[in-house]
């Protein structure tokens, strides 16, 4: 199969005629060829988005809401295809792709359709005048997303950008192009206005960079790694673009001594290994109270060893492959580093039997104990199925250990005492914290990180505000 760009409502080959292979990481097979697009393709997409802006931005919000609902309906009909394509592009289990990726990609459109209805007109009355706050679209916006939750994260940006009246240039990861292409097929099938959503496929260093550099793209919403985020920030800042950066994480899971051990072990295992640990919110450093350390760790190892690593297409698979052979090698190099620093592998790595497929990028869920809290494996983002375990004696010590990294995205606290959990959560330098749960999301709430995990928030009103410019009109009374 050959995927094309989607520019001005048409499937369009890259101007230079170059393509890249898109491989299935679970077996090394070729999924498709995708455009290796250039600056020229981005320019052509920007021209289309500029022409479409005038009509799209003039629609009423209800008309745009109606289009979001039509997209959600169109995606709903292709739900099984979304899950299959995400499974083939990423190697994640099909059941996870159905439950999380397909479900949320559709919900993002219906959620923002509903949420945009609740936008209130802002008015501030003075003694002798009234201020009217007007929302305007930003213009042409650039959306750049990673491979771990492909359409889920892309639609999380497209839906609010659209509903606020912007036109879009979007670039999915070169490793996961297929569901963005499926979205274009849906747009085509519903006669969606041409040029409003343009998808340019290709590499970050060419297409991504061209989007960030383009003077007529007025806002950049980027989700990806912290190092790439720095490049994006450096490029966009001197042009005074609106910028939202959702970056990496190295999140703590804190197990307090008063917890129900069995449910905490289940929660910690899920937080560490969902999607092979390739979720920015994954709890990859597990901090355990001294008093319950051994009992908890035994239960956790049991939970992790019950996870079935295998063919992502099989319904009983819990852990599929990671995104690529190169990523598998990077993860293994961290496991080797941990061993060389005295880390004890409690489970995983070579101890688990993996699918007998030399071309698959499989890594067993791996738990490592005995590392210092500031060792590289405990503070750097590995973004794979590897979690380190550390012990603490007091809540204050757990908080200090949680805050030691340069990241500040998320974390979870497990305790029998809600108030104690909230008190600990309050002192962790992260944007998103859970008590006795993990990845429990209300889409109206702010989502984003502090420190090296990013700048800005997405979700509900925060997304609608990012994709709008506010003007205040002050009218003096007669
Ligand atoms: P990445 O930074 O390598 O790539 C992300 C996107 O940026 C891709 O589309 C890539 O092609 C593009 N890109 C690369 N170089 C670019 C450049 N110079 N200019 C513009 N775009 C460029 O990240 P990845 O490996 O795809 O994803 C994994 C990372 O994403 C992890 O660090 C993870 O924590 C992070 N992530 C964060 C969140 C969040 O919400 N905070 C969510 C998911 C993933």
């Amino acid at each position: 199969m050959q995927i094309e760009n989607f520019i001005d409502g048409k499937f369009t080959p890259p101007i230079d005629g170059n393509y890249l292979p898109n491989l299935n990481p679970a077996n090394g097979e070729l999924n498709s060829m995708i455009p290796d697009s250039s600056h020229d393709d981005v320019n052509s997409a920007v021209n289309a988005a500029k022409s479409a802006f005038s009509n799209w931005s003039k629609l009423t919000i209800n008309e745009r809401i109606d289009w979001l609902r039509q997209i959600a309906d169109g995606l709903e009909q292709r739900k099984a295809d979304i899950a299959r394509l995400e499974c083939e592009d990423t190697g994640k289990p099909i059941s996870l792709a159905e439950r999380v990726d397909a479900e949320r990609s559709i919900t993002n459109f219906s959620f923002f359709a509903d949420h945009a209805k609740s936008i209130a007109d802002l008015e501030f009355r003075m003694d002798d005048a009234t201020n009217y706050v007007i929302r305007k679209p930003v213009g042409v916006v650039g959306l750049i997303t990673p491979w771990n939750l492909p359409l889920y994260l892309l639609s999380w940006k497209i839906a609010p950008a659209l509903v606020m009246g912007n036109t879009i240039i979007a670039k999915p990861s070169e490793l996961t192009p297929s569901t963005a292409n499926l979205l274009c097929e849906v747009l085509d099938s519903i006669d969606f206005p041409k040029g409003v959503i343009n998808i340019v496929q290709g590499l970050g260093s060419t297409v991504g960079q061209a989007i960030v550099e383009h003077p007529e793209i007025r806002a950049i919403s980027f989700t990806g790694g912290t190092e790439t985020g720095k490049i994006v920030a450096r490029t966009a800042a001197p042009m005074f673009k609106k910028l939202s950066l959702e970056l990496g994480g190295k999140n703590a899971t804190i197990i307090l001594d008063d917890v129900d051990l069995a449910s905490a072990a289940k929660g910690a295992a899920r937080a560490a290994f969902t999607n092979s640990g390739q979720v920015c919110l994954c709890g990859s450093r597990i901090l355990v109270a001294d008093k319950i350390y051994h009992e908890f760790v035994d239960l956790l190892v049991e939970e992790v060893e019950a996870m079935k690593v295998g063919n992502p297409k099989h319904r009983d698979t819990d852990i599929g492959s990671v995104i690529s052979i190169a990523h598998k090698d990077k993860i293994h190099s961290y496991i080797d580093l941990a061993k060389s620093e005295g880390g004890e592998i409690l489970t995983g790595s070579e101890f688990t039997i993996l699918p007998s497929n030399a071309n698959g990028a499989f890594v067993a869920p791996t738990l490592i104990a005995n590392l210092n809290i500031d060792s590289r494996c405990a503070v750097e983002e590995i973004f794979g199925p590897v979690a380190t375990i550390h012990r603490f004696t007091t809540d204050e010590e757990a908080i200090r250990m949680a805050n030691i990294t340069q990241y500040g995205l998320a974390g979870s606290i497990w305790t029998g005492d809600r108030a104690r959990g909230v008190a600990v959560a309050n002192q962790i330098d992260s944007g998103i914290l859970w008590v006795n749960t993990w990845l429990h999301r209300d889409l109206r709430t702010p989502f984003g990180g502090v420190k090296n995990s990013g700048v800005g928030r997405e979700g509900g009103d925060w997304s609608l505000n990012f994709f709008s410019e506010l003007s205040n009109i002050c009218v003096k009374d007669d």
Side-chain angles (χ1 to χ4, degrees):
M1 183 190 168
Q2 186 157 299
I3 283 177
E4 306 293 5
N5 292 325
F6 190 70
I7 297 176
D8 206 15
K10 289 183 282 294
F11 290 95
T12 312
I15 292 167
D16 292 346
N18 297 328
Y19 289 83
L20 298 163
N22 161 34
L23 303 180
N24 181 335
N27 55 24
E29 285 171 12
L30 183 71
N31 284 331
S32 60
M33 296 300 290
I34 71 158
D36 181 5
S37 307
S38 67
H39 268 74
D40 292 339
D41 299 292
V42 172
N43 284 341
S44 142
V46 172
N47 289 338
K50 271 168 50 192
S51 313
F53 180 74
S54 160
N55 284 341
W56 181 253
S57 59
K58 283 195 196 100
L59 293 184
T60 63
I61 192 141
N62 283 333
E63 286 169 321
R64 293 197 294 261
I65 285 171
D66 186 54
W67 277 116
L68 261 68
R69 293 203 196 288
Q70 288 194 50
I71 297 173
D73 291 346
L75 289 174
E76 184 69 44
Q77 287 169 28
R78 303 283 309 273
K79 203 169 177 176
D81 292 334
I82 298 174
R84 177 181 53 79
L85 292 170
E86 298 298 32
C87 171
E88 289 169 358
D89 274 6
T90 64
K92 69 176 67 186
I94 186 75
S95 55
L96 181 73
E98 284 167 358
R99 202 172 61 246
V100 175
D101 295 80
E103 195 66 43
R104 220 350 242 289
S105 302
I106 300 162
T107 305
N108 284 338
F109 285 100
S110 48
F111 166 75
F112 276 110
D114 291 340
H115 195 74
K117 277 205 175 287
S118 68
I119 301 181
D121 287 335
L122 289 177
E123 264 185 46
F124 297 92
R125 181 70 201 145
M126 301 164 78
D127 287 345
D128 58 350
T130 305
N131 293 279
Y132 300 95
V133 181
I134 311 292
R135 271 173 200 274
K136 296 177 185 166
V138 182
V140 178
V141 298
L143 315 179
I144 301 175
T145 47
W147 47 258
N148 63 327
L149 293 159
L151 189 57
Y152 172 132
L153 290 173
L154 191 62
S155 54
W156 182 233
K157 297 182 190 299
I158 287 182
L162 272 188
V163 83
M164 298 317 291
N166 303 280
T167 55
I168 292 167
I169 315 295
K171 190 201 99 60
S173 167
E174 56 275 27
L175 300 176
T176 53
S178 305
T179 46
N181 187 59
L182 178 148
L183 172 66
C184 301
E185 290 168 2
V186 166
L187 298 176
D188 193 42
S189 73
I190 61 173
D191 274 331
F192 189 74
K194 294 184 191 328
V196 174
I197 301 178
N198 304 277
I199 306 274
V200 185
Q201 305 268 8
L203 298 172
S205 52
T206 48
V207 178
Q209 188 71 26
I211 290 173
V212 179
E213 279 173 0
H214 202 294
E216 290 180 273
I217 297 182
R218 294 310 311 151
I220 301 290
S221 178
F222 172 84
T223 299
T226 295
E227 288 310 310
T228 319
K230 286 182 191 168
I231 301 174
V232 170
R234 261 202 305 273
T235 312
M239 303 167 87
F240 305 111
K241 296 188 180 202
K242 285 193 98 172
L243 193 54
S244 165
L245 298 171
E246 298 287 345
L247 309 177
K250 185 74 181 180
N251 314 296
T253 300
I254 302 180
I255 314 293
L256 299 184
D257 56 10
D258 59 358
V259 77
D260 173 69
L261 290 175
S263 66
K266 270 194 198 330
R270 179 173 162 257
F273 297 115
T274 294
N275 204 27
S276 286
Q278 301 167 122
V279 179
C280 53
L281 307 164
C282 273
S284 53
R285 1 175 28 232
I286 305 174
L287 315 183
V288 187
D290 226 10
K291 226 159 83 184
I292 51 153
Y293 182 83
H294 290 293
E295 214 183 326
F296 174 80
V297 169
D298 288 349
L299 285 171
L300 180 62
V301 168
E302 219 174 275
E303 281 295 331
V304 174
E305 290 186 343
M307 292 176 163
K308 184 159 185 253
V309 183
N311 185 333
K313 293 238 159 150
H314 293 172
R315 297 224 142 256
D316 60 347
T317 293
D318 299 306
I319 307 276
S321 77
V322 297
I323 187 66
S324 64
I325 295 285
H327 196 50
K328 178 188 90 162
D329 292 344
K330 176 186 152 191
I331 296 165
H332 275 300
S333 75
Y334 271 104
I335 297 173
D336 289 342
L337 173 70
K339 286 182 194 160
S340 74
E341 291 183 340
E344 181 192 353
I345 310 292
L346 300 179
T347 185
S349 188
E350 63 270 33
F351 299 123
T352 305
I353 298 160
L354 299 176
S356 55
N357 173 1
N359 298 320
F362 289 89
V363 182
T366 301
L367 287 172
I368 308 174
N370 285 349
L371 287 175
N372 287 336
I373 191 64
D374 57 356
S375 63
R376 283 187 53 202
C377 287
V379 294
E380 293 180 11
E381 187 186 46
I382 301 174
F383 215 57
V386 177
T388 59
I389 305 185
H390 312 268
R391 30 194 329 159
F392 64 86
T393 45
T394 62
D395 292 7
E396 291 65 39
E397 191 186 5
I399 292 161
R400 186 187 60 73
M401 288 164 82
N403 286 339
I404 218 170
T405 74
Q406 292 305 307
Y407 295 105
L409 187 58
S412 66
I413 296 104
W414 300 77
T415 170
D417 177 347
R418 283 176 43 155
R420 184 179 173 197
V422 172
V424 171
N426 253 309
Q427 296 173 75
I428 304 219
D429 304 331
S430 289
I432 307 147
L433 290 148
W434 287 283
V435 176
N436 293 336
T437 184
W438 176 78
L439 197 36
H440 198 59
R441 292 275 294 122
D442 178 332
L443 302 184
R444 295 168 301 177
T445 60
F447 181 101
V450 301
K451 302 197 285 189
N452 285 4
S453 291
V455 179
R457 294 291 180 275
E458 294 186 318
D461 289 351
W462 289 270
S463 293
L464 300 184
N465 285 339
F466 178 77
F467 289 112
S468 333
E469 290 289 6
L470 301 180
S471 294
N472 186 58
I473 303 176
C474 178
V475 183
K476 180 87 168 60
D477 289 347
D478 293 331

